[in-house]
Amino acid sequence: MKLSTCLTIIFFGAASLICNAQTTIQLSAVDNGKNPVISKYIYSHFAEHLGHGIYGGFYVGDTSKIPNTNGVRNDVIAALRKMKIPALRWPGGCFADTYHWKDGIGPKDKRPEMVNRWWGGVTEDNSFGTHEFLNMCELLGTEPYLAGNIGSGTVQELSDWVQYVSSDSKNPMSELRKQNGRDKSWKVGFWGVGNEAWGCGGNMTPEYYANEFRKYSTFMANGGDGKMFRVASGASDDDYNWTETLMKNIPHGLVEGVALHHYAIIDWGKKGPSTNFTEKQYFQIMQSAMRMEELVTKHSAIMDKYDPGKKIALVVDEWGGWYDVEPSTNPGFLYQQNTIRDAMIAGVTLNIFNNHSERVRMANLAQCVNVLQAVILTDNAKMILTPTYHVMEMYNVHQDATLIPLTVKTDDYTLGTDKLPAISASASKDKDGVVHISLVNIDPNKAKQVTVNLGDIKSTHITGRILTSQKLQDYNSFTEPDKIKPEPFKDAILKNGAINITMPAASVIVLALN
């Protein structure tokens, strides 16, 4: 019997156990004609009228003492612009199928109030509506993704919304927009036709929803002047029959994307804490997060049957970790802290999306500010960036770059008799010829030796960044906002067409080669 040898090493003051098992990653050739491009829209986000996601998160109003531009926080604008957020989904989520857009236009003192029945039963005053959102997207340099109401709305209502935001020809809706202070349209391209139609969007059957989609999509297509990308409300997790039914029953000329929702969660009844979790709970969450590989693969295979040319995108427009809310907060506000565990979820999930970019062409992390796996948390005038933010910012080098296929032979992260692949990776080549490789070691106890064989890729210079911390449970707080942040990684050795690195336990590394 051959025994493995181990030693203890120190990274950023934290001890890690490293064994002689080695991960090998083999990069394939870069073929700009055949390899898919990693759509930048994979790195999109989601903002729902939920808790303090909009009010106090993005929007404080133009009379606030917090520095703002037309009511939108300047610190949030700056942070999201640095992260390069390609598209932002709004106004929901479950909220979307109770939202009537005309309630959120015109003078604010004349806008009717409503009760947000899904998220805390709070009063929604509609002070943040269509103009506020679309103007905010312009500030962020991001494209809007509007989720239309087909649960409690009408075909006419959604058709009117399309005209209101996208039409410059003379018609009642464009004239109404001009009366409300916006002469030129915003040319909104991305549209969700309902949300979670199998659940809070109407508890529909897939057959019924497919017919509803056909009807709504037909009238939406005639409403705007710009190119429209219509996303069908897709499956929850492994409801493969839902995807099959939509692909079989919706004509391809009416749909550009089919959605999928999957959250990393332990149990819907008892989700576990966001910070004081055990290693068993960590393992369970990572097991759930890594199931995204299976879900994307199987839903894509169904889509391939009906769309072999891959013209219709798989749009994972809700994903992320979901835990119990923070103590003493409104359970309907879904406010949770964000630890190194969330960095692991983000890194692994984005690697999956990158590697499936021939079909996955948009994804939206849930959610952007103060809700679920947020990239930003706010507390009055204070703002912090979470570990998830830093992973998304580190990974933005993959946006619109050409995928480099790779194979990973990794040892496992084991807990008892259970095991998961320890190392996750994806790679791309950008328009300037720079190759980026993103690596995640989910093992919280052991550093990993990794060899990346570059194949035909020639490189003489390598740089890197790393995100890690002493414990899985570490997080950025309002008293210690920079506890976790990317640091330069200088320990990658490039020699003879290969890279050798030692990845600390629970770490994310992004390398750049040129």
Side-chain angles (χ1 to χ4, degrees):
M1 178 182 295
K2 182 179 180 180
L3 299 178
S4 63
T5 57
C6 301
L7 63 140
T8 301
I9 56 177
I10 304 295
F11 288 100
F12 299 105
S16 290
L17 185 67
I18 180 169
C19 297
N20 64 4
Q22 182 159 315
T23 291
T24 302
I25 299 172
Q26 179 67 54
L27 301 192
S28 298
V30 180
D31 187 333
N32 291 325
K34 294 182 179 179
N35 293 6
V37 170
I38 299 172
S39 171
K40 66 180 180 179
Y41 297 110
I42 284 173
Y43 293 83
S44 297
H45 291 263
F46 176 29
E48 184 169 6
H49 285 245
L50 199 173
H52 296 297
I54 298 295
Y55 302 109
F58 280 102
Y59 189 73
V60 291
D62 54 14
T63 61
S64 174
K65 294 181 179 179
I66 297 172
N68 67 87
T69 301
N70 298 325
V72 181
R73 296 177 64 125
N74 290 343
D75 52 2
V76 170
I77 293 171
L80 293 180
R81 287 185 69 89
K82 181 181 178 182
M83 196 175 66
K84 296 182 181 178
I85 171 172
L88 185 60
R89 182 175 178 241
W90 176 86
C94 292
F95 182 80
D97 282 297
T98 62
Y99 182 68
H100 300 281
W101 69 270
K102 289 182 181 177
D103 292 345
I105 60 172
K108 292 186 181 181
D109 60 354
K110 300 259 191 327
R111 297 181 188 180
E113 295 181 343
M114 63 175 287
V115 174
N116 189 336
R117 57 167 298 209
W118 290 111
W119 305 119
V122 297
T123 299
E124 164 66 57
D125 67 2
N126 282 305
S127 59
F128 188 89
T130 295
H131 287 250
E132 288 76 22
F133 174 70
L134 296 179
N135 291 340
M136 181 181 79
C137 286
E138 291 182 335
L139 290 173
L140 293 172
T142 189
E143 293 184 50
Y145 171 13
L146 295 180
N149 178 354
I150 75 166
S152 64
T154 65
V155 172
Q156 184 68 56
E157 182 179 12
L158 186 50
S159 176
D160 284 349
W161 203 13
V162 172
Q163 285 201 335
Y164 187 88
V165 301
S166 292
S167 177
D168 287 313
S169 63
K170 185 175 177 60
N171 61 69
M173 290 301 103
S174 63
E175 291 302 305
L176 179 59
R177 183 189 68 240
K178 292 174 183 178
Q179 290 173 25
N180 289 326
R182 174 78 181 200
D183 186 59
K184 186 179 179 182
S185 73
W186 294 275
K187 299 293 185 192
V188 176
F190 294 110
W191 289 88
V193 185
N195 167 76
E196 295 189 353
W198 40 263
C200 63
N203 284 303
M204 304 177 193
T205 65
E207 292 81 8
Y208 181 85
Y209 172 72
N211 285 334
E212 287 292 281
F213 180 92
R214 291 164 66 124
K215 179 172 63 175
Y216 276 81
S217 180
T218 297
F219 289 94
M220 291 172 67
N222 294 330
D225 297 334
K227 183 173 176 58
M228 184 170 289
F229 192 100
R230 294 155 297 185
V231 180
S233 173
S236 172
D237 300 299
D238 59 359
D239 187 352
Y240 301 116
N241 178 60
W242 188 278
T243 299
E244 182 106 31
T245 302
L246 299 195
M247 293 300 296
K248 185 165 51 178
N249 289 292
I250 298 175
H252 290 187
L254 291 177
V255 61
E256 286 72 42
V258 173
L260 170 66
H261 289 180
H262 172 64
Y263 287 95
I265 195 164
I266 296 174
D267 183 270
W268 285 104
K270 186 170 178 59
K271 304 178 188 74
S274 67
T275 55
N276 297 319
F277 52 87
T278 65
E279 186 176 350
K280 180 180 179 181
Q281 289 171 319
Y282 168 70
F283 189 95
Q284 290 172 318
I285 281 289
M286 292 312 302
Q287 199 170 34
S288 179
M290 296 175 83
R291 193 174 173 225
M292 185 69 82
E293 173 73 35
E294 172 192 340
L295 297 175
V296 167
T297 298
K298 291 185 176 180
H299 283 288
S300 295
I302 293 168
M303 296 176 74
D304 287 346
K305 287 168 54 179
Y306 301 93
D307 176 32
K310 303 184 188 299
K311 294 181 179 180
I312 299 172
L314 181 59
V315 178
V316 190
D317 56 12
E318 289 189 31
W319 68 272
W322 195 325
Y323 321 118
D324 291 334
V325 301
E326 295 306 298
S328 303
T329 65
N330 188 321
F333 285 8
L334 305 187
Y335 177 80
Q336 62 190 42
Q337 251 298 350
N338 198 288
T339 68
I340 283 291
R341 172 174 67 173
D342 296 281
M344 299 297 102
I345 293 172
V348 166
T349 304
L350 291 171
N351 282 340
I352 291 169
F353 294 157
N354 288 347
N355 290 327
H356 287 274
S357 53
E358 79 287 351
R359 179 65 79 176
V360 179
R361 296 198 285 278
M362 177 182 275
N364 304 74
L365 176 69
Q367 294 186 15
C368 202
V369 185
N370 289 333
V371 177
L372 296 175
Q373 192 176 338
V375 297
I376 290 172
L377 300 177
T378 65
D379 179 14
N380 295 316
K382 297 178 182 178
M383 183 196 79
I384 56 175
L385 307 178
T386 69
T388 300
Y389 173 94
H390 292 306
V391 173
M392 299 288 284
E393 187 273 326
M394 290 167 67
Y395 271 52
N396 69 25
V397 294
H398 292 300
Q399 292 185 17
D400 285 341
T402 299
L403 177 71
I404 302 175
L406 50 74
T407 56
V408 180
K409 293 183 179 179
T410 175
D411 64 337
D412 295 319
Y413 160 41
T414 60
L415 185 66
T417 58
D418 295 321
K419 60 184 180 180
L420 291 169
I423 303 296
S424 162
S426 65
S428 68
K429 185 176 183 179
D430 69 17
K431 59 180 175 57
D432 296 321
V434 180
V435 170
H436 292 98
I437 305 169
S438 50
L439 303 158
V440 184
N441 175 16
I442 69 165
D443 193 322
N445 306 310
K446 296 179 182 178
K448 301 293 181 182
Q449 292 178 332
V450 179
T451 296
V452 182
N453 294 314
L454 299 178
D456 294 335
I457 296 170
K458 307 300 180 185
S459 176
T460 58
H461 184 251
I462 185 168
T463 58
R465 299 168 75 199
I466 184 170
L467 190 75
T468 190
S469 194
Q470 294 186 15
K471 296 189 305 179
L472 282 173
Q473 294 82 2
D474 285 346
Y475 59 91
N476 291 333
S477 67
F478 292 102
T479 55
E480 199 173 359
D482 294 321
K483 182 172 186 175
I484 301 168
K485 62 181 181 180
E487 302 284 352
F489 182 74
K490 300 179 180 179
D491 296 328
I493 300 171
L494 175 61
K495 186 177 181 180
N496 298 329
I499 304 168
N500 287 284
I501 63 175
T502 300
M503 292 194 69
S507 64
V508 178
I509 294 174
V510 176
L511 303 173
L513 294 84
N514 53 27

